[in-house]
Amino acid sequence: VGGERAVLAGAKLKGLRLTNLNFQHAILSRIDFSGATLEGCDFSFADLFSANLAGAASNGAKFDRADLRGAKLRGAKLQDASFHESDLRPGLVMGAASESVTDLTEASLERANLEGAQFARACFQHASMKDAVLRRATMTAADLHGADLSGADLEAARGESANFSGADLTGARLDKAMLRGANLRGAILAQASLAETDLMDARVSPGSRQLPV
């Protein structure tokens, strides 16, 4: 594909195999990539506003600084994908209980903007989310085991029953976050801000010294 500002807005590419292609800077708003194979593709700086990537196999794809506002990512496979400084407001990552989990295992979302995004039940195991913006995001029952959320802004986020075990939340802002029933065993919360955070029934390591004092 390649080319400066390729235009495929609204195209129907459902279920196609499109591996290792260059979509940098392309205009792909409202495109239908649902169920497509997009492994290794480069969408850096692309316009993917309201794009449908539901169920797409996009492991290792690059979305750095891409516009993914309103994108549908239900059930997408995004292991080791890169979203550096991408805009996912309010990216729709949540899926119904009967749908496949959106998988962002070991993905990189450093400084990404996910304000108001919905990713309940999504998997972010060992993902790098340093300095990401997650204000008012919905992450109910999401799996963030071992994720790096150092410096992230989770003010007023909803993380009921989410798994933060082993996560690095050093310096994270969790003010007014709803973390009822969340698993925080082994999580590092040094210098984190927890003003008015709801931690009712949250699980922490016995005798943990990692909670701020």
Side-chain angles (χ1 to χ4, degrees):
V1 177
E4 189 69 17
R5 302 298 288 180
V7 179
L8 289 166
K12 307 298 183 184
L13 302 176
K14 181 177 180 179
L16 296 183
R17 184 174 182 82
L18 303 166
T19 59
N20 300 307
L21 296 181
N22 179 11
F23 291 98
Q24 288 187 27
H25 298 278
I27 299 174
L28 307 169
S29 55
R30 301 179 308 281
I31 197 167
D32 186 359
F33 278 131
S34 59
T37 300
L38 304 169
E39 294 177 346
C41 288
D42 191 346
F43 295 95
S44 299
F45 302 96
D47 177 0
L48 285 154
F49 181 82
S50 293
N52 185 1
L53 290 93
S58 306
N59 296 330
K62 288 185 178 180
F63 297 90
D64 298 340
R65 296 190 179 182
D67 183 353
L68 286 147
R69 288 173 298 159
K72 297 175 178 65
L73 301 172
R74 295 184 183 95
K77 304 303 179 187
L78 293 156
Q79 294 183 20
D80 201 35
S82 176
F83 293 85
H84 288 200
E85 299 185 18
S86 62
D87 192 343
L88 284 148
R89 297 171 300 163
L92 188 58
V93 185
M94 183 174 64
S98 60
E99 294 177 335
S100 298
V101 170
T102 303
D103 190 353
L104 290 118
T105 300
E106 297 185 354
S108 179
L109 296 103
E110 295 183 9
R111 295 182 298 281
N113 191 341
L114 294 97
E115 183 171 359
Q118 301 181 58
F119 47 91
R121 295 180 295 279
C123 180
F124 290 88
Q125 286 194 14
H126 301 288
S128 180
M129 304 172 79
K130 294 179 181 178
D131 300 314
V133 177
L134 298 152
R135 289 189 297 268
R136 294 181 295 280
T138 299
M139 56 185 76
T140 306
D143 188 354
L144 296 108
H145 170 72
D148 186 349
L149 289 150
S150 55
D153 185 352
L154 293 95
E155 182 181 5
R158 299 189 64 92
E160 298 96 322
S161 301
N163 181 16
F164 291 94
S165 63
D168 186 353
L169 288 151
T170 300
R173 184 177 182 184
L174 294 154
D175 302 332
K176 299 181 180 179
M178 176 70 74
L179 298 177
R180 290 192 175 199
N183 182 1
L184 291 161
R185 290 192 177 109
I188 301 171
L189 287 153
Q191 300 178 332
S193 177
L194 292 160
E196 299 182 52
T197 304
D198 189 341
L199 290 162
M200 183 176 291
D201 299 322
R203 291 165 286 165
V204 298
S205 300
S208 174
R209 298 181 180 179
Q210 295 165 314
L211 288 170
V213 294

